[in-house]
Amino acid sequence: MNKEGTGKEGSLMLRFFGLYSLSLFAGISFIMFTNLYGLQIRLEEMLYTTIPFLLISVLLFVLMLLLFTWYRLRKIIAYANGRKSNVSGEEAFRRLLRFPVDIFWAIMGISVFFTIAFHVFDYGAEGFGHLLRSSEERWYLLTTMLHELSLALMLAVLLYTSSRASLRPFLMRLNAVKLPDQPGKSFQRMLLLTFFSCLLLTILSLLQTIAEKTFSGEPLDFNQLVVVAGVSFFFGLGSLLLPLLQFRREVRLLTGRLFALQAEKRGVPRKIPIVSLDESGRLAEAFNELQAHTEKAYEDLTKELRLAASVQQKLLPPPLQGDGTFLCSALCEQSLETGGDFYDWMKLDERRLAVLVGDVIGKGMPAALIMSSVLALFRLEVRSGGTPGEVLSRLNRRIVETLQGEMLVTAGLAFIELDIGRLHYASAGHLAPYVVSDSGEVKELPVSSMPLGVDEEERYLHEEYKLAAGDRLIMYSDGVVESLHADGTIYGFDEWERRLSETDGSMPLDEQLRELMEKLPHGAGSEPEDDRTIVCVRWTGRAVD
């Protein structure tokens, strides 16, 4: 841990060394350009005084900035890298956010010192009294110093933006999601300052050139002024683009998280670490507060949905039930915490078994509420007697009265006479069931009709079939055959029938259903797109006691 942290700290200092050196040498190059082209100073004169002083100044400047950086950040970087430090996480976060402002003012202070020192060194031999004999001389010195300070201001803004980018990984590692209690900064103010620096540098470059021409008595060269102004402007423009690109990056990160929050179905995306004190930092803080509120609401909703799912499961019969004459097993896989698939079975008397499978058209909580109501109505109506078709007809009238056509329900209802194996089956828009023999032969039982809740006057008829001992009645919801493979192709009836025929009938009934469900595809995701329910009833053929 310590070696890793030391390496990261050394890498950061090396990065700052590169930033300081590159920025200052860019400033020197600009000064040399204005001296050579704008002020027409000969290279021999610059080699004697200007260039040596500038090089020494840059080295001292870089050294002073590195010492300042090391002094301000040594304990903070140690904390961010996980090493022992007497700085708290909140204090480290506050200082890292503050550092670009500190380096800005440090550069401006050092620049003022070196600007004054340079001109004292440059004109010390003759003395300022001799230099400032005329207003032209005073104007020339003033414009020169202001030009150099405007360049220093431009470099300070550039290093302010660059230091923010360099410290970003360490701020991300602190993972702070709330701004500290200190005055915020305005990106608009920094942008205006950068634009002002660019404009000021361009104007002062022109004024310095004009002052030099006036002081020396030479005529003004318009082309020369255009070149000096153009180079100054584009130099400043490059410094203006850097904070804009950095702000754009932070805003894109924020909008990306917002889109992720909108698209997320299960859970919420992570919070955004704050990396600045300006508007992007405040936007990130507002987003994090929204995230906290969303997480709390999501947790509360999840608890409610889990409770609803638990209640829904309690409404259904146990997944495996039977006596010596029959055995029922069911497996339901929902796409959400709650769903609209349902099933039920009950013995109407000693010799008759009723089995129901249904699907509320829809998903989620609305479908779950309708499903619970339909189950309650079914248990009431099935006790009133009649054939499967008559039970569905009465149930349909109740659903039409209750739902007023706003939601529809499909259902398949089977009565099995346990003593002789006679199957009575009626359907309300539900998929046809199958009878699978011990030998693996699959037979479809087609019955078609309208779903429940469409027409109050709909009458449902039933069909009769004869079961052989050991036959399995397979009833299922549409989510089974409508499952999608990863390539987008549908599972379909042919593949479903093949799976049914290949299932080992000697296996326990619940294991057969588990194998059938596990072999269903899940599309491109890990969760099914729709609720999937399979119910299997085996008639043993044994005599009713």
Side-chain angles (χ1 to χ4, degrees):
M1 175 75 73
N2 291 348
K3 291 182 179 180
E4 180 184 0
T6 303
K8 290 178 180 178
E9 183 175 353
S11 175
L12 180 68
M13 294 303 297
L14 185 62
R15 182 182 299 182
F16 272 115
F17 173 76
L19 286 176
Y20 297 153
S21 301
L22 183 63
S23 300
L24 292 175
F25 275 107
I28 286 179
S29 301
F30 182 77
I31 291 175
M32 292 180 63
F33 167 78
T34 55
N35 286 342
L36 287 170
Y37 190 82
L39 304 180
Q40 301 292 311
I41 300 176
R42 292 181 302 173
L43 183 61
E44 293 80 4
E45 295 180 16
M46 294 179 62
L47 288 174
Y48 178 71
T49 56
T50 306
I51 293 179
F53 182 85
L54 288 176
L55 291 176
I56 294 173
S57 299
V58 165
L59 292 176
L60 291 175
F61 207 147
V62 170
L63 180 61
M64 293 173 66
L65 289 176
L66 286 175
L67 288 174
F68 176 80
T69 302
W70 177 82
Y71 175 77
R72 293 289 292 173
L73 298 182
R74 68 189 192 283
K75 295 181 180 180
I76 302 169
I77 303 302
Y79 175 87
N81 286 328
R83 294 187 285 127
K84 291 184 178 180
S85 175
N86 58 1
V87 178
S88 65
E90 183 178 352
E91 178 65 16
F93 177 60
R94 187 183 65 81
R95 289 190 185 182
L96 283 175
L97 286 179
R98 176 70 188 177
F99 180 76
V101 179
D102 294 339
I103 202 68
F104 174 87
W105 289 114
I107 291 172
M108 291 305 301
I110 298 174
S111 298
V112 170
F113 170 78
F114 276 106
T115 299
I116 296 174
F118 170 75
H119 289 288
V120 169
F121 173 79
D122 192 25
Y123 302 123
E126 301 181 7
F128 275 93
H130 175 71
L131 180 67
L132 305 179
R133 289 176 181 175
S134 65
S135 60
E136 291 83 1
E137 293 173 343
R138 290 193 297 271
W139 171 249
Y140 172 75
L141 180 60
L142 178 63
T143 55
T144 300
M145 294 183 67
L146 288 177
H147 175 261
E148 292 167 355
L149 290 177
S150 67
L151 178 61
L153 178 62
M154 179 67 66
L155 293 177
V157 172
L158 178 64
L159 286 174
Y160 169 87
T161 307
S162 302
S163 62
R164 277 184 55 181
S166 298
L167 293 174
R168 181 184 179 88
F170 294 91
L171 286 164
M172 296 283 286
R173 197 173 298 128
L174 290 175
N175 200 32
V177 296
K178 186 176 178 60
L179 284 170
D181 294 330
Q182 65 183 63
K185 305 299 176 183
S186 171
F187 175 76
Q188 179 184 8
R189 184 183 304 170
M190 180 54 63
L191 199 62
L192 289 174
L193 179 61
T194 308
F195 177 78
F196 172 76
S197 303
C198 174
L199 186 63
L200 184 64
L201 183 65
T202 304
I203 294 174
L204 289 175
S205 296
L206 288 174
L207 290 178
Q208 186 186 28
T209 303
I210 294 172
E212 170 62 23
K213 295 295 183 181
T214 304
F215 180 72
S216 61
E218 299 178 7
L220 294 176
D221 185 346
F222 179 76
N223 292 332
Q224 182 185 18
L225 294 178
V226 171
V227 172
V228 170
V231 171
S232 302
F233 176 78
F234 282 107
F235 182 83
L237 185 62
S239 301
L240 181 64
L241 289 176
L242 190 60
L244 284 173
L245 292 175
Q246 190 175 90
F247 187 77
R248 176 175 175 266
R249 178 186 177 186
E250 294 172 0
V251 171
R252 288 182 67 180
L253 174 64
L254 179 62
T255 54
R257 291 292 175 87
L258 285 171
F259 282 121
L261 177 63
Q262 179 185 11
E264 194 73 22
K265 292 183 179 180
R266 296 181 182 270
V268 290
R270 294 176 299 172
K271 294 182 174 65
I272 300 178
I274 295 176
V275 295
S276 69
L277 288 169
D278 58 20
E279 286 83 355
S280 66
R282 291 195 287 274
L283 281 173
E285 183 181 36
F287 174 82
N288 293 333
E289 291 178 357
L290 173 64
Q291 279 281 74
H293 176 75
T294 303
E295 287 178 359
K296 179 64 169 59
Y298 179 80
E299 290 175 0
D300 294 341
L301 178 61
T302 300
K303 291 178 182 178
E304 294 176 2
L305 289 176
R306 286 174 180 170
L307 178 60
S310 176
V311 172
Q312 187 178 23
Q313 288 300 315
K314 291 178 181 179
L315 294 175
L316 302 174
L320 185 64
Q321 189 176 10
D323 56 20
T325 59
F326 75 95
L327 185 62
C328 291
S329 183
L331 194 58
C332 180
E333 189 178 77
Q334 295 170 340
S335 60
L336 302 175
E337 283 79 2
T338 57
D341 280 12
F342 59 92
Y343 61 90
D344 198 8
W345 56 68
M346 66 181 69
K347 291 188 72 172
L348 302 177
D349 50 46
E350 290 301 320
R351 55 182 296 274
R352 287 192 306 160
L353 174 70
V355 183
L356 173 73
V357 171
D359 181 11
V360 178
I361 299 178
K363 292 190 292 185
M365 186 62 73
L369 293 173
I370 300 301
M371 163 264 184
S372 60
S373 300
V374 172
L375 267 181
L377 291 173
F378 164 73
R379 289 167 181 170
L380 177 65
E381 293 296 339
V382 77
R383 295 294 183 184
S384 300
T387 65
E390 292 170 344
V391 172
L392 289 181
S393 297
R394 295 197 302 268
L395 183 60
N396 174 62
R397 287 194 292 271
R398 297 243 185 188
I399 291 176
V400 171
E401 293 173 0
T402 304
L403 301 182
Q404 299 295 317
E406 293 184 3
M407 295 188 74
L408 306 178
V409 181
T410 67
L413 177 59
F415 286 179
I416 301 177
E417 297 182 49
L418 299 175
D419 54 347
I420 59 175
R422 186 175 300 280
L423 170 65
H424 305 262
Y425 182 79
S427 172
H430 204 74
L431 299 175
Y434 292 95
V435 173
V436 183
S437 65
D438 278 344
S439 62
E441 181 184 356
V442 178
K443 181 180 179 181
E444 185 182 21
L445 308 181
V447 178
S448 61
S449 56
M450 296 289 289
L452 302 174
V454 176
D455 183 5
E456 185 177 9
E457 302 301 323
E458 180 72 16
R459 294 294 180 265
Y460 297 92
L461 304 177
H462 73 276
E463 301 288 342
E464 295 185 4
Y465 303 91
K466 183 66 176 67
L467 299 176
D471 281 354
R472 288 161 288 158
L473 173 66
I474 306 294
M475 305 169 71
Y476 55 97
S477 64
D478 57 358
V480 172
V481 293
E482 292 176 359
S483 301
L484 295 177
H485 292 284
D487 60 0
T489 58
I490 196 168
Y491 186 68
F493 290 97
D494 292 340
E495 192 169 355
W496 173 233
E497 292 174 8
R498 181 171 59 82
R499 290 293 184 190
L500 291 176
S501 66
E502 293 174 353
T503 303
D504 185 1
S506 63
M507 292 172 57
L509 215 55
D510 55 344
E511 292 184 16
Q512 293 182 40
L513 294 192
R514 193 176 300 112
E515 181 181 278
L516 287 170
M517 191 71 79
E518 289 174 354
K519 290 182 178 179
L520 293 177
H522 287 79
S526 59
E527 300 293 337
E529 294 293 327
D530 195 5
D531 303 336
R532 308 194 290 200
T533 300
I534 308 175
V535 175
C536 181
V537 183
R538 182 197 294 276
W539 180 61
T540 64
R542 296 177 185 176
V544 177
D545 295 335

